[in-house]
Amino acid sequence: MTSIPHVEVVAAVLMSRDAQHFVLACRPEGKAYAGYWEFPGGKIEAGESPRQALARELREELGIRVTEASPWLCRDFDYPHAHVHIRFWRVTTWEGEIGVSAPLEHSAVCWLNTNGPCKLAPMLPANLPILKALALPARMGITRAAQNGVRAELERLEKALRQGLRFIQIREHDLPVARQQGFIRAVMEMAASENALVVLNEDGSGIAAELARLIGAHGIHLTSRALAQSAKRPNFPWVGASCHNAAELAQAEALELDYALLGPVLPTPSHPEHPGLGWEVFAQLLENTRLPVFAIGGQGVNTLKTAQDLGAHGVAVVRGLKTEDGGQ
């Protein structure tokens, strides 16, 4: 029996400066899967690093020179001809114009909204999960109404939403359930006006999941304990989990969750004695991750680029909700 070859591939997710739009390209006649839409890219050649292969493929296929890119997600897919391991990179700046600086190898390219439905078809199947990941904002804010007071926390969130925050995790187990309900409803109302995602922190008791269904939150976020107890993915549009090591990341991937928080990466005011994973270990854990991962622990706007350069989707913050640079 002939074994199926293993192929290493890079794919580029070209993003607009405001992170609100991305590029898909249509495979030309004469190539396998002609007419299918994909993220541009190709095979990693012998002696090339993934970053070098990315630069070469985009120069050859789109006629642009990459100037800023960061690793993002990995996916595996079995096609009839090969097992393909795809390394997706986010490309945020480049020189030249697509299809203008040099001839375009694809039959067409199209800019799409990260938050809108993709109506292009057919799509290469390995690329489908990436479309949902693109809708995740790069910053998550985690609430602390029990510490700050409900009114003060709502004011803090309202300001952060005005400044560009688009992803909120409500983590309020210390509030009585009745007060939680009122707080969640108020946050949902504010978030709706900004099209922001809201998930409730579920500790395994089932209370947050019940409140999410009752009030209409977008999903739930599992604590590491709730993650360990889960045999299947909870039935919500958005589900994430808190992870601290490779085993917990693997469990989140096995459940096909939408994202994970990984940390603490750096020391935090609440646990200054804990040194955290550190950026080196954090990067190692992300090397082949299939999920968008947010760095947590000592994070803020000033650490976002560092986290993304190492392969993170973004950062999750508890105290520092400021988003002076706006956008996602």
Side-chain angles (χ1 to χ4, degrees):
M1 180 181 293
T2 303
S3 61
I4 298 177
H6 178 92
V7 180
E8 291 283 334
V9 169
V10 288
V13 183
L14 286 92
M15 307 289 295
S16 59
R17 289 190 179 276
D18 62 1
Q20 298 298 307
H21 297 86
F22 67 97
V23 170
L24 285 178
C26 189
R27 293 178 66 83
E29 292 296 328
K31 282 194 173 184
Y33 295 95
Y36 278 70
W37 291 88
E38 65 174 356
F39 293 97
K43 295 179 184 178
I44 301 175
E45 295 182 352
E48 281 186 323
S49 68
R51 179 64 172 78
Q52 290 169 333
L54 181 82
R56 175 183 52 76
E57 288 287 348
L58 293 187
R59 184 176 63 251
E60 294 173 355
E61 293 188 3
L62 302 182
I64 60 175
R65 188 176 77 84
V66 175
T67 54
E68 192 165 351
S70 58
W72 185 32
L73 304 176
C74 293
R75 303 292 299 186
D76 291 279
F77 198 83
D78 289 320
Y79 287 100
H81 65 286
H83 174 81
V84 181
H85 181 69
I86 311 172
R87 297 178 181 272
F88 288 89
W89 286 63
R90 283 185 296 197
V91 179
T92 51
T93 60
W94 58 87
E95 293 178 354
E97 293 185 57
I98 296 173
V100 174
S101 303
L104 183 68
E105 284 195 5
H106 291 82
S107 60
V109 293
C110 185
W111 283 93
L112 300 169
N113 193 305
T114 55
N115 293 307
C118 178
K119 298 181 179 179
L120 298 178
M123 178 82 64
L124 279 183
N127 294 314
L128 290 172
I130 305 303
L131 298 178
K132 186 173 185 181
L134 278 168
L136 270 177
R139 285 182 288 267
M140 170 193 278
I142 301 174
T143 68
R144 55 197 319 262
Q147 293 80 11
N148 295 336
V150 168
R151 178 172 300 202
E153 186 66 356
L154 289 174
E155 291 175 354
R156 190 174 79 115
L157 289 173
E158 183 178 26
K159 181 178 180 181
L161 286 165
R162 287 200 306 267
Q163 292 177 328
L165 184 69
R166 293 295 178 267
F167 194 8
I168 298 172
Q169 180 194 152
I170 297 179
R171 187 174 68 186
E172 299 297 344
H173 303 293
D174 293 334
L175 287 180
V177 173
R179 293 200 72 194
Q180 283 189 51
Q181 287 192 41
F183 180 70
I184 295 166
R185 291 184 192 278
V187 174
M188 289 293 298
E189 184 176 346
M190 288 192 303
S193 64
E194 301 292 349
N195 293 317
L197 290 173
V198 178
V199 295
L200 309 189
N201 186 281
E202 172 55 63
D203 62 0
S205 66
I207 293 174
E210 183 179 345
L211 288 174
R213 292 189 179 94
L214 175 68
I215 298 174
H218 300 105
I220 60 173
H221 178 92
L222 304 175
T223 64
S224 56
R225 182 177 68 178
L227 174 65
Q229 295 172 352
S230 299
K232 63 179 182 179
R233 175 194 166 101
N235 187 24
F236 288 93
W238 291 96
V239 184
S242 291
C243 300
H244 307 91
N245 52 50
E248 290 175 348
L249 278 175
Q251 170 70 349
E253 290 184 356
L255 293 178
E256 298 185 344
L257 302 190
D258 299 303
Y259 68 90
L261 268 57
L262 179 62
V265 178
L266 303 174
T268 64
S270 58
H271 297 90
E273 75 287 353
H274 195 301
L277 296 171
W279 287 118
E280 184 177 352
V281 172
F282 178 81
Q284 290 171 356
L285 289 170
L286 295 195
E287 191 169 345
N288 285 293
T289 183
R290 298 172 65 246
L291 297 179
V293 173
F294 293 79
I296 187 170
Q299 303 302 305
V301 173
N302 60 326
T303 63
L304 176 60
K305 186 178 187 305
T306 298
Q308 290 184 328
D309 285 346
L310 296 175
H313 180 81
V315 295
V317 298
V318 180
R319 289 171 174 79
L321 290 184
K322 291 182 179 180
T323 57
E324 292 90 340
D325 53 342
Q328 281 196 311

